[in-house]
């Protein structure tokens, strides 16, 4: 069978790579063409366009890059038409993927959405397009099944969260080896996960690193995004107590004592590694003003959304200050506070459905094509 996969972000590349491995197990002769990143490329198939060419953050930034976005959509349609896949698999990235899906449905190519759009967060009106344009929807958050089926009468399959697979399948490394290989000090580690896009990294690192001097007994380690060059981070590495690693986020989290994390998938990854975290987020003034008027969720982190309560502290926009980060980091180092967090993290993992999301999804996709 021929599969065309579209993943437009770093998290999509991770989940796409595991899905590709599972597809090849179910269909060893699978011919896969995809938009994604280095992780998907390492599995095989043909990389058409790298996600770092696609990542635009915030409402204003998207407007400034509309020409590039529309050119990518046109190119994608032409590429799919030339490839003639048996199925298109969309991974998150709704602004782009939903436009391609509408066109694909019209020309009768089966459409599969893995990691559905977060229309429960905003743009719930998109449900009409989802019901119209997608033949199969695979959701990864437990509350999404109720949202689609009970509220909107659209059948979906809850497959569990693929992060559990990704974390379980990693190759462990000892702390001593990790420290040695990355030229770190023999001190407890506070991990910094500032995001993957240049705009957010620049804004977040400026405030996150402002507290370094308050924790001299710890070393701070920035997790570099695979989409950014090392040179981009150099201006932030002025303190001897600040280190940098790239493409080793899971190794970093497995040995971190605490973490500062920009909102997104990384908040959930950090929790699944049982690392106490504070969630920090600052967007551009204009993007934030727009967002707070159209997004009505109580929380921005996946951890809190899934648990439906404040498990991890969220410092958003005006609250994301040096003083507040310093206060919350100090709490994360308190044994009693850490114990409560760990209990909630265990409950969180149980809610996410266990191992096998990639395999379940691959099986469902392949079976749908051989009926």
């Amino acid at each position: 069978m021929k599969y065309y996969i579209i993943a437009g972000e770093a998290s999509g590349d991770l989940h796409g790579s595991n899905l590709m491995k599972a597809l090849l197990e179910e269909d060893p002769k699978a011919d896969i063409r995809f938009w994604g990143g280095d992780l998907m490329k390492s599995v095989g198939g043909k990389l058409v366009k790298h996600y770092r060419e696609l990542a635009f953050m915030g409402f204003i930034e998207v407007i400034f890059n509309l020409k590039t976005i529309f050119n990518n959509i046109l190119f994608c349609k032409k590429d799919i038409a030339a490839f003639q896949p048996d199925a298109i698999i969309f991974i998150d990235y709704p602004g782009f993927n939903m436009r391609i899906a509408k066109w694909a449905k019209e020309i009768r190519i089966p459409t599969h959405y893995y990691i559905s759009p977060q229309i429960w967060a905003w743009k719930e009106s998109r449900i009409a397009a989802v019901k119209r344009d997608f033949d199969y929807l695979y959701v990864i958050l437990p509350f999404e099944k109720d949202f689609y089926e009970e509220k909107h009468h659209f059948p979906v399959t809850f497959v569990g969260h693929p992060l559990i697979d990704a974390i379980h399948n990693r190759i462990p490394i000892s702390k001593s080896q990790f420290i040695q290989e990355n030229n770190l000090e023999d001190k407890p580690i506070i991990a910094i996960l500032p995001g993957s896009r240049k705009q957010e990294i620049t804004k977040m690192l400026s405030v996150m690193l402002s507290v370094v001097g308050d924790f001299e007994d710890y070393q701070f380690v920035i997790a570099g995004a695979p989409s950014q060059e090392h040179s981009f981070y150099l201006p932030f590495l002025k303190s001897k107590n600040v280190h940098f690693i790239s493409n080793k986020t899971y190794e970093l989290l497995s040995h971190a004592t605490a973490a500062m994390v920009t909102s997104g998938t990384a908040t959930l990854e950090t929790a699944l590694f049982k690392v106490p975290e504070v969630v920090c987020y600052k967007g551009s003034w204009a993007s934030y003003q727009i967002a707070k008027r159209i997004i009505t969720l109580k929380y921005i982190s996946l951890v809190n959304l899934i648990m439906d309560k404040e498990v991890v502290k969220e410092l958003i926009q005006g609250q994301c200050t040096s003083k507040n980060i310093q206060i919350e980091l100090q709490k994360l180092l308190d044994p009693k506070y850490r114990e409560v967090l760990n209990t909630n993290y265990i409950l969180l993992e149980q809610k996410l459905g266990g191992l096998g999301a990639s395999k379940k999804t691959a099986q469902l996709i392949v079976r749908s094509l051989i009926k």
Side-chain angles (χ1 to χ4, degrees):
M1 297 289 183
K2 297 167 72 174
Y3 307 88
Y4 200 99
I5 304 176
I6 305 174
E9 299 173 302
S11 60
D13 181 38
L14 171 64
H15 303 321
S17 67
N18 288 324
L19 179 62
M20 286 170 65
K21 291 173 188 174
L23 277 172
L24 288 166
E25 288 179 2
E26 298 298 320
D27 181 5
K29 295 182 179 180
D31 183 2
I32 303 175
R33 192 171 176 87
F34 62 92
W35 294 42
D38 297 336
L39 294 175
M40 294 172 75
K41 185 178 180 181
S42 69
V43 178
K46 173 63 178 177
L47 173 63
V48 178
K49 196 174 281 283
H50 201 287
Y51 68 77
R52 51 177 174 250
E53 299 178 53
L54 313 172
F56 303 108
M57 175 192 171
F59 300 96
I60 303 304
E61 292 80 5
V62 167
I63 290 172
F64 284 136
N65 289 281
L66 279 176
K67 183 178 179 180
T68 300
I69 292 169
F70 285 127
N71 284 340
N72 284 335
I73 290 172
L74 181 61
F75 172 78
C76 185
K77 290 177 180 178
K78 289 180 178 178
D79 196 58
I80 291 171
F83 185 56
Q84 288 293 299
D86 295 292
I88 304 177
I89 303 167
F90 303 91
I91 301 179
D92 201 0
Y93 199 49
F96 186 91
N97 275 337
M98 291 186 70
R99 286 177 171 83
I100 301 298
K102 183 177 185 296
W103 168 82
K105 185 74 172 183
E106 289 171 354
I107 61 172
R108 298 185 178 181
I109 300 176
T111 52
H112 299 254
Y113 212 151
Y114 178 46
I115 307 178
S116 66
Q118 295 179 351
I119 61 173
W120 40 266
W122 71 299
K123 287 193 175 181
E124 190 169 343
S125 59
R126 281 179 165 176
I127 185 63
V130 170
K131 295 170 78 169
R132 180 192 66 215
D133 298 331
F134 293 99
D135 298 307
Y136 304 93
L137 192 59
Y138 313 103
V139 301
I140 64 172
L141 299 172
F143 60 80
E144 289 180 317
K145 187 171 177 65
D146 291 340
F147 172 83
Y148 282 107
E149 294 191 340
E150 294 186 11
K151 187 173 184 180
H152 292 291
H153 312 293
F154 183 61
V156 302
T157 304
F158 173 59
V159 293
H161 205 292
L163 278 181
I164 296 177
D165 288 347
I167 292 170
H168 181 267
N169 294 334
R170 78 189 191 282
I171 300 174
I173 180 174
S174 68
K175 187 170 184 179
S176 59
Q177 184 180 349
F178 177 68
I179 288 173
Q180 183 179 3
E181 288 183 357
N182 296 284
N183 298 313
L184 302 179
E185 303 171 67
D186 189 17
K187 296 164 66 174
I189 294 169
I190 295 178
I192 302 178
L193 282 65
S196 60
R197 304 178 181 95
K198 285 186 177 180
Q199 298 101 318
E200 67 180 344
I201 293 170
T202 300
K203 192 174 289 288
M204 295 315 306
L205 278 180
S206 298
V207 64
M208 287 173 161
L209 293 175
S210 66
V211 302
V212 169
D214 298 314
F215 298 89
E216 294 182 355
D217 294 334
Y218 296 82
Q219 58 185 324
F220 291 76
V221 183
I222 299 169
S227 56
Q228 306 300 338
E229 300 293 331
H230 179 240
S231 57
F232 171 71
Y233 293 90
L234 290 178
F236 302 102
L237 304 178
K238 296 177 181 178
S239 170
K240 65 178 182 179
N241 210 25
V242 177
H243 305 271
F244 173 85
I245 62 171
S246 188
N247 296 320
K248 296 181 180 179
T249 301
Y250 283 7
E251 291 182 12
L252 171 60
L253 288 174
S254 66
H255 298 299
T257 298
M260 294 181 280
V261 187
T262 298
S263 66
T265 303
T267 63
L268 187 55
E269 290 174 309
T270 303
L272 290 174
F273 273 96
K274 310 300 187 294
V275 179
E277 65 180 300
V278 56
V279 177
C280 309
Y281 183 77
K282 271 191 175 184
S284 68
W285 182 87
S287 290
Y288 176 71
Q289 293 301 317
I290 295 170
K292 74 176 186 179
R293 286 165 172 77
I294 62 177
I295 299 175
T296 57
L297 297 175
K298 289 188 290 184
Y299 309 108
I300 66 168
S301 71
L302 283 172
V303 175
N304 292 343
L305 285 168
I306 294 166
M307 295 296 287
D308 195 27
K309 66 178 182 178
E310 187 182 71
V311 172
V312 296
K313 182 66 177 179
E314 299 179 353
L315 300 176
I316 308 170
Q317 209 68 8
Q319 293 181 324
C320 189
T321 64
S322 299
K323 181 179 179 181
N324 286 340
I325 292 174
Q326 191 272 336
I327 290 171
E328 294 305 322
L329 265 184
Q330 200 65 56
K331 289 181 183 177
L332 297 182
L333 303 176
D334 177 74
K336 290 184 179 179
Y337 191 91
R338 295 168 68 85
E339 186 177 341
V340 172
L341 264 179
N342 191 64
T343 299
N344 279 305
Y345 283 168
I346 292 171
L347 293 173
L348 170 73
E349 188 167 0
Q350 291 172 355
K351 280 178 172 281
L352 290 175
L355 291 166
S358 303
K359 184 175 181 64
K360 291 173 192 172
T361 305
Q363 288 175 337
L364 290 166
I365 292 171
V366 173
R367 288 172 187 170
S368 74
L369 298 174
I370 59 176
K371 284 181 180 178

